Amino acid sequence: MKHPFPGYGYPAHHVAGSPGLWLGEGDGSFTRGFVTTACLSAFQDVPCPSSSAHLKRVLRHALQGGTAFAAGSRATVAFRQGDYSGALLATALGATGVLLIEQLLRDARRLDREKGDGQEK
């Protein structure tokens, strides 16, 4: 059953099937996830991210966090509206986005180590 109130707390133009929400016009979910993950990642395992490798790791994590948070937010809206296929699609697209970011921004030194002995050190 679909929720009786379209948008369920979101503006009317952010309902299921609205191209604006799928194309990035939305509630700021990506930005929230990006900033939150960057803040968390910046100081994990290092006292101060000063090298380019550390900054690249923070950027990769932030992009992945923003993508995952935006996908999760969209899936939540779709699920609340009873659009289960839309929720599944948002989840799949989010996971694909996180994987693509990982592939594009992974550390070259780590790749060399993985190729050398078949596993990470």
Side-chain angles (χ1 to χ4, degrees):
M1 179 176 146
K2 293 197 182 270
H3 195 276
F5 304 107
Y8 193 68
Y10 292 89
H13 64 282
H14 285 176
V15 295
S18 170
L21 190 58
W22 287 106
L23 297 176
E25 172 199 328
D27 59 357
S29 295
F30 179 82
T31 305
R32 286 186 189 104
F34 183 92
V35 171
T36 302
T37 308
C39 290
L40 289 171
S41 180
F43 302 106
Q44 289 178 346
D45 302 326
V46 292
C48 182
S50 56
S51 73
S52 62
H54 290 145
L55 294 175
K56 185 176 178 181
R57 179 182 59 86
V58 171
L59 174 64
R60 179 172 41 93
H61 288 169
L63 289 170
Q64 289 174 322
T67 300
F69 194 88
S73 296
R74 178 62 189 120
T76 299
V77 171
F79 188 80
R80 285 180 179 166
Q81 295 173 348
D83 179 12
Y84 303 114
S85 61
L88 183 60
L89 179 63
T91 303
L93 289 173
T96 301
V98 169
L99 180 61
L100 283 171
I101 292 166
E102 180 67 26
Q103 296 296 320
L104 292 173
L105 296 179
R106 85 169 80 178
D107 186 14
R109 287 181 295 153
R110 189 179 77 188
L111 284 176
D112 290 340
R113 285 190 300 231
E114 288 175 0
K115 287 178 186 174
D117 63 2
Q119 58 182 319
E120 224 178 301
K121 290 184 180 181

